[in-house]
Amino acid sequence: MIKPVSKTLAWLILLLICAPVYSQELTIDALENRLKEAETQEERIDLLKELAFELKTNDPEKALLYARESLYQSGKIGDDHGRAEAHHTIGLINRYQGDYDEALDHFLKALEIRKRINDEIGLARSYNNIGQISDIQGNLAQALDFYRKSLDLRTNIKDSVGMVYSYISIGEIYEKQDDFEAAISSFADALILAKKIEDKKGQAFSHAKMGNLFWRMHMFENSRSHYEDGLAISQQLQSKYDISLNDIGLARIFIQEKNFEKAQPLLEEGLQLSMETGTLENIRDAYLGLSQNYQLKKDYRQAFHYQGLYTQIKDSLFNQNKSESISAIQGRHELETKEHEIEELRKNQNINRLRNFSMLGITAGVFLLVILVVIYYRYRIQTQTNLKLSAQKKEIESKNHELEMSNRELEDFAHAVSHDLKQPLRTIGSYTGLLQKRYGNLLGEEGEEYVEFIRGGVFRLHTLLSDLLVYSNVGETDSFDQEVNMNDLMRSVKVNLDQQIVETQARISFGEMPTIKGNYSALLQLFQNLISNGMKFQPSGRIPEVMVSFYRQNEYNRFEVKDNGIGISPEYQEKIFKAFQRLHTQEEYPGTGIGLAICQKVVHLHGGEISVFSSQGNGSTFIVDLPVDYKVGTKK
């Protein structure tokens, strides 16, 4: 029988649990009291900066107020180091709250100042955080470059704490590139170094990242061990961000084990702490975990509710229409930097002019000399500017040529790969059929199922390679000035699609068509793909109807291919023209995702544009604009 815990022991346990929270509150209170008593502006700026950094995850709104006040006060006294630190902290707060554009804007402002004052520690932090934004926007190569710059600087200046986070960041990139061996090595370096320097926060974060990685590798026991260690450390620190990170990770393990009772409180705590810190990525993961857990509990109403919240926050985090690219924001900052340099130059020029004008009263000769100097100076600047512009023009022309050659080589490579891979694929299909024929009675029901999986995969890959070959061959011929009778072409399309028309009982119609200039084979492929898609993407039981119409639109021949199919949501209407972009599973609608990419390539080769007008459930109208006065060599 277990004896009850004594009152003294109970109070002691409670004290141990609450001590870190109380300690942190004391720290914040002490800093705020010191801020009230600060005697100098410099001391006040340091305290504002420290308070903002301490509160950045646990109370982001208050942290933002302190950081902005620090930025304002630093600007008043011309403290560049303080301004850089304030911009950096504001960027961190925005980063945790999912406002990546605003975060990047402040990170780049901090970077610009730190370069000017040669702040190596600050530069390392800037590179690391700009790398995070590149990572979020999917530019992994650029992110890895920034992270390595940060690690090199931190290694040179022996910034051990910073090195921990650089190792973690580099490991995250390797993980996203599916280089698990390199990711494990990088995370392990971070954890070993964090333990060596007794950096508890670094340890908690490293454990969470190791837990995520082992989870992806299906090494669940290793994953559980790291999450538990990370949770224990982060609870000691009372770091809301790290607690939520390890809570949600450990809950995933319990969900995988179908232990929803243990997963539920972890997910609820992780969601609560994530909301308090405003960390959108953790909120998103908590919503997903809760949806999966309620599915285990067969509470489908709640599961659907949290799945909807997960989808909303996921879309808000990755809404490319609302997010500037990193290159655009960097370009803006580079322009602002140049404008600042020009302004400084203008100020210097104005000072020189004032001095020159002050000497006008001395002698007329000095005045003439000044005028000649100014004229010569301007002539020299104009000459240098013209030379630079000429060099830039040549460089752009050279880059365009290199890009054209690179695209050509890529198309040749795609053609070769798609062609050469078909032979080993046929071999796999043949031997799979032979295996089924000779040893089918020994395979059993499960073995037969595996064989069918292989044959299905071979078929899909063969189709994919065939479509890729078609894509790479589009535009191979230079004969783009043929007289193409579009009435004859439409009849050929119907003949080619006869089997699909019969199977679906589709009704295909087209009005009077013109004769235009172009490449017959490419245009045939274009309209065949569009009409075939109109028949394929239909709700179950509906008879497809596809109508092709033509009319003259200013300087363009406009063709419209209208169907009564399932339609396309507005957010996907640009993505569908990219290769391999599929909106449905193979089981719903089979295909390779290359058909519309072929259509776009054909239209661009004819100097035209293709777009779609559609809404979910209301059919689609594909609009093809081809120039009336098409000239060979104007292909896009």
Side-chain angles (χ1 to χ4, degrees):
M1 182 176 178
I2 301 174
K3 294 182 180 181
V5 179
S6 70
K7 289 185 178 180
T8 303
L9 183 57
W11 277 108
L12 181 59
I13 292 171
L14 183 62
L15 181 62
L16 288 172
I17 293 171
C18 297
V21 182
Y22 184 61
S23 174
Q24 187 186 32
E25 289 177 353
L26 279 178
T27 301
I28 300 300
D29 289 343
L31 288 171
E32 289 180 333
N33 287 331
R34 287 175 56 192
L35 180 63
K36 293 175 185 176
E37 300 169 358
E39 296 180 357
T40 66
Q41 195 76 332
E42 290 79 2
E43 184 182 0
R44 180 175 177 80
I45 290 168
D46 287 341
L47 289 167
L48 286 167
K49 176 185 67 178
E50 193 171 349
L51 277 164
F53 192 80
E54 288 292 331
L55 292 167
K56 67 181 183 297
T57 54
N58 286 357
D59 192 346
E61 291 185 7
K62 197 171 185 180
L64 205 53
L65 289 174
Y66 283 132
R68 285 173 176 162
E69 177 66 14
S70 172
L71 179 61
Y72 173 71
Q73 296 295 343
S74 299
K76 279 179 65 176
I77 65 171
D79 178 7
D80 283 342
H81 184 271
R83 287 175 56 233
E85 289 295 311
H87 277 304
H88 190 92
T89 303
I90 294 171
L92 286 176
I93 297 166
N94 287 312
R95 157 74 180 87
Y96 289 133
Q97 294 183 310
D99 191 347
Y100 304 129
D101 291 343
E102 189 69 18
L104 179 59
D105 195 41
H106 284 283
F107 287 151
L108 287 169
K109 286 176 180 175
L111 178 68
E112 176 190 333
I113 297 169
R114 285 165 170 169
K115 282 182 177 178
R116 195 164 62 243
I117 64 176
N118 197 27
D119 176 10
E120 290 188 323
I121 295 177
L123 279 172
R125 293 169 62 209
S126 289
Y127 285 137
N128 191 77
N129 285 284
I130 294 170
Q132 287 181 351
I133 305 299
S134 299
D135 181 3
I136 288 165
Q137 295 187 334
N139 195 335
L140 301 185
Q142 189 175 50
L144 190 58
D145 182 54
F146 277 119
Y147 288 151
R148 283 173 174 162
K149 283 182 180 178
S150 176
L151 179 59
D152 288 344
L153 275 172
R154 285 169 166 171
T155 303
N156 288 338
I157 62 179
K158 296 181 172 57
D159 176 13
S160 298
V161 174
M163 288 169 64
V164 170
Y165 291 95
S166 287
Y167 283 131
I168 290 172
S169 298
I170 291 170
E172 288 176 327
I173 298 299
Y174 286 136
E175 181 182 351
K176 289 179 181 178
Q177 293 174 335
D178 293 333
D179 189 348
F180 294 149
E181 184 177 347
I184 289 173
S185 174
S186 195
F187 288 148
D189 286 341
L191 185 56
I192 291 167
L193 182 56
K195 287 181 178 179
K196 182 179 177 181
I197 63 176
E198 298 182 351
D199 175 14
K200 293 291 186 181
K201 189 166 180 62
Q203 291 176 43
F205 198 37
S206 299
H207 278 303
K209 293 301 176 182
M210 290 287 271
N212 291 343
L213 179 59
F214 283 123
W215 164 261
R216 285 197 60 198
M217 297 170 68
H218 299 283
M219 298 173 68
F220 299 119
E221 284 305 314
N222 287 4
S223 179
R224 179 205 299 271
S225 174
H226 281 288
Y227 282 138
E228 288 175 345
D229 290 346
L231 184 58
I233 296 170
S234 55
Q235 285 173 338
Q236 291 174 17
L237 298 172
Q238 283 298 302
S239 170
K240 293 180 181 180
Y241 174 78
D242 293 304
I243 292 172
S244 64
L245 202 61
N246 285 285
D247 267 345
I248 296 166
L250 189 55
R252 277 204 297 257
I253 300 293
F254 290 129
I255 292 172
Q256 190 269 335
E257 295 173 350
K258 296 183 171 51
N259 191 339
F260 53 81
E261 294 297 340
K262 286 188 176 182
Q264 190 71 19
L266 290 170
L267 290 168
E268 289 174 352
E269 181 183 47
L271 178 58
Q272 178 63 34
L273 294 175
S274 300
M275 286 182 167
E276 289 176 12
T277 59
T279 313
L280 295 185
E281 294 102 324
N282 290 358
I283 295 173
R284 174 201 60 197
D285 294 341
Y287 282 151
L288 179 60
L290 284 165
S291 175
Q292 294 169 343
N293 206 44
Y294 277 117
Q295 287 182 51
L296 284 178
K297 297 168 73 172
K298 302 190 184 307
D299 186 346
Y300 299 113
R301 183 184 295 274
Q302 286 287 76
F304 181 77
H305 170 70
Y306 282 108
Q307 181 64 34
L309 292 174
Y310 163 75
T311 302
Q312 288 177 14
I313 202 165
K314 179 184 175 186
D315 290 345
S316 71
L317 281 169
F318 298 99
N319 189 345
Q320 296 178 357
N321 294 328
K322 294 181 181 178
S323 177
E324 296 183 67
S325 68
I326 186 171
S327 57
I329 299 176
Q330 285 177 324
R332 188 175 74 240
H333 272 273
E334 288 173 6
L335 180 60
E336 289 173 355
T337 302
K338 293 296 182 186
E339 287 175 348
H340 176 74
E341 292 173 357
I342 291 170
E343 185 62 30
E344 289 296 318
L345 180 61
R346 283 175 178 168
K347 287 179 182 178
N348 292 334
Q349 287 176 337
N350 288 335
I351 292 170
N352 288 334
R353 285 173 182 170
L354 286 173
R355 288 174 179 170
N356 290 333
F357 283 132
S358 67
M359 296 174 65
L360 286 177
I362 301 173
T363 62
V366 174
F367 172 76
L368 180 61
L369 180 61
V370 170
I371 295 297
L372 291 174
V373 168
V374 171
I375 292 172
Y376 173 72
Y377 179 68
R378 288 186 174 180
Y379 169 76
R380 187 175 176 184
I381 288 178
Q382 187 63 47
T383 303
Q384 290 174 346
T385 302
N386 290 340
L387 288 172
K388 286 181 180 178
L389 289 173
S390 177
Q392 288 174 353
K393 182 180 177 182
K394 289 180 181 178
E395 185 179 357
I396 290 170
E397 290 174 351
S398 174
K399 292 293 183 184
N400 286 340
H401 178 69
E402 290 176 10
L403 181 60
E404 185 179 344
M405 294 299 295
S406 176
N407 287 339
R408 182 65 182 175
E409 289 172 3
L410 186 59
E411 289 184 357
D412 291 344
F413 174 74
H415 182 282
V417 168
S418 57
H419 182 273
D420 295 345
L421 282 179
K422 283 188 174 182
Q423 181 56 46
L425 198 59
R426 282 193 290 268
T427 302
I428 293 171
S430 299
Y431 276 97
T432 302
L434 191 61
L435 176 67
Q436 188 178 34
K437 183 177 180 182
R438 290 188 179 181
Y439 304 105
N441 58 332
L442 300 177
L443 294 174
E445 185 177 342
E446 188 175 11
E448 287 282 353
E449 185 179 3
Y450 291 161
V451 168
E452 287 304 317
F453 285 154
I454 296 172
R455 297 183 72 173
V458 168
F459 175 77
R460 285 194 294 274
L461 187 54
H462 188 276
T463 305
L464 177 63
L465 291 173
S466 296
D467 286 352
L468 187 59
L469 192 60
V470 170
Y471 181 79
S472 63
N473 282 334
V474 171
E476 285 297 306
T477 175
D478 287 328
S479 181
F480 278 79
D481 56 354
Q482 302 169 358
E483 294 287 334
V484 180
N485 186 317
M486 295 301 293
N487 290 296
D488 294 341
L489 184 140
M490 290 299 172
R491 284 189 280 270
S492 297
V493 168
K494 291 184 70 173
V495 170
N496 293 347
L497 297 175
D498 181 64
Q499 183 177 351
Q500 188 180 0
I501 293 171
V502 171
E503 289 175 352
T504 61
Q505 301 180 356
R507 293 191 283 269
I508 312 298
S509 60
F510 58 90
E512 187 64 27
M513 296 284 138
T515 296
I516 65 173
K517 281 191 175 184
N519 179 268
Y520 181 89
S521 298
L523 291 171
L524 181 70
Q525 185 74 53
L526 165 66
F527 286 97
Q528 188 167 303
N529 284 1
L530 293 176
I531 294 172
S532 176
N533 280 353
M535 292 189 285
K536 179 169 71 172
F537 292 101
Q538 292 283 341
S540 178
R542 181 182 293 176
I543 294 177
E545 295 182 3
V546 183
M547 182 175 69
V548 185
S549 56
F550 161 79
Y551 58 92
R552 181 70 60 83
Q553 178 76 11
N554 297 327
E555 299 176 355
Y556 286 88
N557 290 314
R558 171 164 288 187
F559 298 89
E560 293 186 356
V561 182
K562 183 177 182 180
D563 64 58
N564 64 337
I566 60 175
I568 305 164
S569 296
E571 63 264 30
Y572 301 119
Q573 289 177 12
E574 291 186 10
K575 295 181 180 180
I576 57 173
F577 293 106
K578 296 179 181 179
F580 308 114
Q581 292 291 323
R582 292 180 48 82
L583 306 183
H584 308 280
T585 64
Q586 284 285 344
E587 290 72 18
E588 292 175 312
Y589 298 100
T592 59
I594 300 180
L596 287 176
I598 293 173
C599 291
Q600 186 180 63
K601 186 174 181 181
V602 169
V603 173
H604 283 183
L605 287 169
H606 283 81
E609 292 291 344
I610 183 170
S611 58
V612 63
F613 177 79
S614 179
S615 62
Q616 190 70 38
N618 295 314
S620 303
T621 300
F622 284 85
I623 300 168
V624 176
D625 287 328
L626 301 178
V628 174
D629 297 324
Y630 175 71
K631 296 180 177 59
V632 179
T634 62
K635 297 177 285 185
K636 291 192 177 183

